[in-house]
């Protein structure tokens, strides 16, 4: 069933709350400004998004290695990267109503969208988005630390460590998944823009002459990743940045955009960063961050292609792309048609009744499947309602253990999308699932 845009947004927010996907944070204290907690179902989905990214970007490649760098970082890194000087948003206050806005996001730079007054804005102030804190008990300049606003710098400052220890040479990528923090002026649209979020970033170091071809390669590869994980091609596009949009480090950037309820918006940026970051860190640290190509007897500073995605934002896009309401027997069935790799649970075991003669063997089957997959178990309520609950959280297969199972040692497996059912010997369930979930 086609969804109207505002409807879909509200439905996702409601479903997230109702089914334990995403909760507003600190709710018992009245909430805390656009922060969110991932519930029992959401945490599984978020892990699957990150795992799917890691599988494609690290596990299935021999030219990418992983990293997990620290979040707390000294000012020197951000001085060198340009974030202390440039990572700012222009902030204006309305003198009439006191509302605060990002000047670059206003439809009309003279009109306050809150009260409608023209010409009441203050001069723009450049507001740095980094969270500043202090490391240790003494508050002096030497104790200043920042929460990283991107994971990327961890890869640049470790470039020499990785090259010297991994026995690999460019083209070589370093990949990282982790939390980043930005003091966004206008967080919003649920988990689309938050102050604390997770990124999935690859810094791909290449010989300078190969940079353009690798940039094209990663643009195509990253767009395809979303399609391969279940988002319809019509909901995705690749949009090259105009010259006035480029970040301070980038000589070329394209965004993978998703058709969100409020319009096309960024899921991921793929940037050709040149040698900007390594040059900056060499200049500021005095360390050599070059690669010596023995075969060519040539020393060079690699150029970097960076596909930078948001895990939390991507999860939201997967939810929106998968959401469907359909009419079945005069009732609305809500179903998340998630790719099996992204689905929080891969299967659910549902004994037809709560009688121990059924729940005992059903739990045995659950125990057999659990080492291989996240499998849910539910023995309460009528079977129809239990199916609906699993549909709403995107579980691809429901396995029903009924009274006949005691005799024929078989179970019924119901497909989430078609609702078709097959009867299968219990001994074959593991292999049957493995074929469909890989
Ligand atoms: N290292 C480059 C970099 O960080 P970015 O475009 O600022 O580039 C990359 O961020 C991705 O991180 C974005 O495409 C988005 O998916 C995610 N992201 C950025 N800011 C975010 C925020 N405030 N909330 C949620 N996700 C965010």
């Amino acid at each position: 069933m086609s969804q109207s845009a505002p409807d879909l947004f509200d439905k996702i927010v409601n479903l997230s709350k109702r089914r334990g996907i995403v909760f507003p944070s600190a709710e018992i204290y009245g909430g805390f400004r656009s922060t969110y907690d991932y519930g029992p179902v959401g945490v599984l989905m978020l892990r699957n998004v990150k795992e799917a990214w890691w599988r494609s970007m690290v596990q299935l490649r021999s030219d990418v290695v992983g990293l997990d760098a620290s979040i707390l970082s000294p000012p020197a890194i951000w001085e060198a990267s340009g974030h202390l000087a440039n990572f700012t948003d222009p902030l204006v206050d309305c003198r009439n109503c006191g509302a605060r806005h990002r000047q670059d996001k206003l439809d009309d730079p003279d009109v306050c969208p809150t009260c409608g007054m023209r010409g009441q804005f203050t001069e723009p102030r450049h507001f740095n988005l980094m969270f500043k804190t202090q490391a240790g008990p003494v508050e002096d300049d030497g104790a200043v630390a920042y929460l990283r606003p991107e994971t990327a710098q961890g890869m640049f400052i470790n470039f020499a460590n990785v090259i010297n220890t991994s026995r690999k040479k460019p083209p070589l990528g370093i990949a990282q998944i982790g939390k980043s923090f930005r003091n966004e002026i206008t967080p919003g649209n649920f988990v689309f823009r938050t102050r604390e979020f997770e990124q999935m970033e690859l810094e791909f170091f290449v010989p300078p002459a190969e940079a353009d071809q690798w940039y094209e390669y990663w643009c195509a590869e990253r767009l395809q990743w979303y399609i391969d994980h279940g988002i319809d091609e019509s909901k995705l596009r690749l949009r090259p940045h105009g010259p006035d949009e480029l970040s301070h480090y980038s000589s070329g950037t394209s965004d993978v955009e998703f058709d969100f309820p409020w319009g096309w918006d960024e899921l991921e940026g793929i940037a050709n960063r040149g040698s900007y970051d390594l040059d900056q860190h060499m200049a500021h640290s005095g360390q050599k961050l070059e690669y010596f190509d023995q075969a060519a007897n040539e020393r060079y500073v690699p150029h970097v292609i960076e596909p930078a995605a948001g895990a939390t934002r991507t999860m939201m896009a997967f939810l929106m792309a998968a959401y469907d309401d359909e009419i079945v027997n005069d009732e609305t069935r809500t179903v998340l048609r998630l790719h099996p790799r992204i689905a929080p649970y891969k299967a659910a075991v549902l004994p037809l009744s709560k009688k121990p003669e059924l729940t005992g063997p059903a739990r045995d089957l659950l125990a057999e499947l659990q080492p291989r997959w996240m499998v849910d178990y539910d023995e309460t309520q009528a079977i129809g309602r239990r199916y609906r609950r699993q549909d709403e959280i995107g579980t691809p297969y429901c396995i029903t253990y009924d009274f006949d199972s005691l005799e024929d040692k078989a179970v019924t497996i119901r497909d989430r999308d078609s609702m078709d059912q097959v009867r299968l010997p219990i001994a074959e369930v593991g292999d049957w699932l493995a074929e469909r979930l890989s």
Side-chain angles (χ1 to χ4, degrees), residues 83 87 149-153 156 180 182 184 187 191-201 203 226 247 249 255-256 266-269 271 273 306 308-314:
H83 282 77
F87 198 54
E150 60 171 19
T151 63
Q153 298 304 319
F156 300 127
S180 293
R182 295 181 189 177
E184 300 281 2
V191 298
F192 179 83
R193 180 172 290 107
T194 48
R195 296 198 170 105
E196 173 180 347
F197 55 97
E198 275 192 274
Q199 287 187 306
M200 311 184 287
E201 295 197 285
E203 306 305 324
Y226 295 94
S247 313
Y249 50 73
D255 285 346
V256 177
E266 176 185 342
L267 268 185
E268 162 163 3
R273 300 177 75 122
E306 176 197 67
T312 36
R313 192 177 284 189
T314 296

Side-chain angles (χ1 to χ4, degrees), residues 374-430:
M374 280 306 304
V375 180
D376 202 4
Y377 176 85
D378 189 358
E379 59 183 37
T380 56
Q381 296 185 318
I383 192 73
R385 294 186 73 161
R386 282 185 273 164
Y387 283 153
R388 293 288 181 270
R389 177 179 176 272
Q390 295 299 333
D391 290 342
E392 283 199 341
I393 59 173
T395 308
Y397 301 107
C398 286
I399 306 167
T400 307
Y401 193 99
D402 55 28
F403 289 98
D404 290 341
S405 306
L406 294 168
E407 300 301 321
D408 66 1
K409 305 287 177 243
V411 284
T412 299
I413 304 188
R414 172 187 176 272
D415 180 277
R416 175 195 69 200
D417 294 336
S418 64
M419 294 186 288
D420 289 345
Q421 304 196 353
V422 290
R423 191 82 182 164
L424 206 70
I426 292 171
E428 291 174 22
V429 170

Side-chain angles (χ1 to χ4, degrees), residues 288-324:
K288 276 212 178 335
L289 303 174
E290 300 170 331
Y291 178 72
F292 179 60
D293 182 346
Q294 269 177 335
N297 195 25
E298 185 191 32
R299 193 175 289 282
Y300 64 86
V301 181
H303 283 205
V304 173
I305 310 304
E306 176 197 67
T312 36
R313 192 177 284 189
T314 296
M315 174 173 150
M316 180 171 168
F318 279 135
L319 282 172
M320 290 183 160
Y323 187 95
D324 192 18

Side-chain angles (χ1 to χ4, degrees), residues 3 8 11-12 15 319-325 334-336:
Q3 308 285 331
L8 177 61
K11 284 175 177 176
I12 292 295
L15 179 74
L319 282 172
M320 290 183 160
Y323 187 95
D324 192 18
D325 285 328
T334 297
V335 52
L336 286 185

Side-chain angles (χ1 to χ4, degrees), residues 20-92:
I21 302 173
V22 179
F23 305 125
S25 194
E27 221 179 0
I28 62 167
Y29 292 104
F32 181 61
R33 295 181 190 151
S34 299
T35 52
Y36 294 93
D37 298 339
Y38 291 75
V41 172
V43 70
L44 298 178
M45 186 171 169
L46 185 57
R47 284 172 67 112
N48 292 344
V49 169
K50 292 185 282 185
E51 184 50 39
W53 186 89
W54 190 266
R55 181 177 182 274
S56 304
M57 305 295 274
V58 184
Q59 187 182 334
L60 298 181
R61 304 186 64 101
S62 43
D63 56 0
V64 177
V65 294
L67 184 79
D68 192 355
S70 77
I71 289 172
L72 277 179
S73 39
I77 293 178
W78 308 109
E79 181 75 51
S81 70
H83 282 77
L84 273 175
N86 298 314
F87 198 54
T88 58
D89 279 341
L91 184 68
V92 289

